[in-house]
């Protein structure tokens, strides 16, 4: 009989859940980074020497 912890999971089950959590976290981090890059390409916050467009106040 497999020995379980306080959570009732075996070590193999705990490792499987941990790997799924880490994969989900990594996916969310990279998806967030991609979304931020797309927003930066659409409307950068720093325009260099240019004047900020007049419609900036709406965003």
């Amino acid at each position: 009989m497999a020995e379980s912890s306080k959570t009732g999971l075996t070590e193999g089950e705990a490792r499987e859940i941990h790997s799924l959590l880490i994969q989900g976290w990594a996916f969310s981090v990279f998806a967030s980074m991609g979304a931020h890059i797309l927003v930066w390409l659409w409307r950068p916050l720093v325009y260099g020497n240019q004047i900020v467009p007049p419609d900036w106040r709406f965003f």
Side-chain angles (χ1 to χ4, degrees), residues 4-6 10 25 35 38 43 50 56 59:
S4 61
S5 65
K6 293 188 296 187
T10 63
W25 176 82
L38 290 174
R43 173 127 359 211
Q50 298 176 354
W56 177 259
F59 295 101

Side-chain angles (χ1 to χ4, degrees), residues 1-53:
M1 183 154 127
E3 193 171 321
S4 61
S5 65
K6 293 188 296 187
T7 62
L9 298 173
T10 63
E11 185 175 347
E13 292 170 334
R15 288 185 184 276
E16 184 178 355
I17 289 173
H18 180 262
S19 69
L20 290 172
L21 285 171
I22 296 300
Q23 288 174 2
W25 176 82
F27 174 78
S28 66
V29 166
F30 287 115
S32 175
M33 289 170 59
H36 279 81
I37 290 170
L38 290 174
V39 169
W40 179 265
L41 292 173
W42 170 64
R43 173 127 359 211
L45 185 60
V46 179
Y47 283 87
N49 294 333
Q50 298 176 354
I51 299 173
V52 176

